[in-house]
Amino acid sequence: MKKFLVGISILVAFVSCNKTTEAKDFKTAYIDTNKLLEESTEAKDIKAKYEAIAEEKGSRLKVEADKLEAEKNAFQAAAQKNGQEWAQQKYSELQQREQQLQYTQQGLAQQIQGQHGAEMDSVVVKFKKIFKDYGKNNGYDYVFGTGEAATVLFAKDQYDITKELIKIVNDKYKTEAKKEDKPAAKK
């Protein structure tokens, strides 16, 4: 295992050294993605749209919640007059309605959050294309992203060594698997 790790380390160092000698200067930049989303008009509009939807639908649910609360208060006074059996049945009904109201609130929140998330995801996809085009048009080698999701937003294909490393790792894995199969076959 140590030989394998040493071999991979040497190969990675060798490949990366070859890549860095090819490129002398890199033109790089970064984008604060959190700030971009906070200050983007489109993102602000989407946020405002879903806040308004949540408020409007939430106010409808508040009316139902207030009505239920009033019934609970009336129930306490009526329970003494109508007896224990009636009180248990009515209390059960009120609990079911309260639980249903909670489920409705949770469902609504999930629905709004899902729709908001889907719309924001499409904005992010649009932004990534913009970043890529901007990087290409302005001669950047790399455009990095900062914020919660720090990633490389654009990079020239010539600096991507992922395919080479995948081939090296896979070839090494196949070689080791063949070595392990041979002793097992001798037994």
Side-chain angles (χ1 to χ4, degrees):
M1 184 66 177
K2 288 182 182 178
K3 288 180 183 180
F4 172 72
L5 292 175
V6 169
I8 291 295
S9 298
I10 291 171
L11 287 172
V12 169
F14 178 72
V15 170
S16 65
C17 285
N18 282 344
K19 286 291 182 184
T20 56
T21 57
E22 291 174 14
K24 294 177 183 168
D25 293 318
F26 290 107
K27 184 175 179 184
T28 62
Y30 75 91
I31 298 169
D32 184 339
T33 54
N34 287 343
K35 187 174 181 179
L36 176 72
L37 287 174
E38 288 171 8
E39 296 183 14
S40 161
T41 303
E42 186 173 8
K44 285 179 183 178
D45 289 348
I46 291 170
K47 182 179 178 184
K49 171 184 167 183
Y50 284 100
E51 284 175 350
I53 290 171
E55 189 172 320
E56 186 254 324
K57 291 187 178 186
S59 66
R60 289 185 204 163
L61 287 174
K62 180 151 178 27
V63 168
E64 291 297 317
D66 290 344
K67 196 185 310 183
L68 182 62
E69 191 64 33
E71 284 185 48
K72 281 182 178 179
N73 292 336
F75 160 77
Q76 290 175 352
Q80 293 175 357
K81 293 178 187 175
N82 295 325
Q84 186 176 0
E85 188 176 318
W86 178 89
Q88 287 176 342
Q89 181 181 353
K90 186 66 173 174
Y91 182 72
S92 177
E93 290 173 16
L94 290 173
Q95 279 186 319
Q96 287 177 350
R97 285 184 46 211
E98 184 175 35
Q99 192 174 37
Q100 185 60 38
L101 186 61
Q102 288 173 347
Y103 288 146
T104 302
Q105 288 172 330
Q106 289 172 351
L108 178 63
Q110 288 175 347
Q111 178 188 11
I112 290 171
Q113 188 176 22
Q115 291 171 341
H116 177 262
E119 225 172 304
M120 287 305 294
D121 286 348
S122 69
V123 168
V124 169
V125 167
K126 188 187 312 180
F127 285 176
K128 284 182 179 181
K129 180 167 179 1
I130 292 168
F131 301 156
K132 186 174 184 175
D133 292 344
Y134 182 86
K136 283 181 180 179
N137 294 337
N138 291 288
Y140 285 99
D141 295 300
Y142 294 98
V143 176
F144 298 98
T146 64
E148 289 180 31
T151 58
V152 175
L153 300 171
F154 169 78
K156 286 186 177 179
D157 291 342
Q158 72 188 59
Y159 301 121
D160 185 358
I161 60 171
T162 306
K163 288 180 183 176
E164 296 165 82
L165 291 174
I166 289 171
K167 183 179 180 343
I168 291 168
V169 169
N170 287 341
D171 289 347
K172 184 74 172 172
Y173 178 76
K174 287 177 187 175
T175 304
E176 287 184 352
K178 287 180 183 178
K179 286 180 184 179
E180 289 177 13
D181 286 344
K182 287 182 182 180
K186 290 181 182 179
K187 290 182 181 178

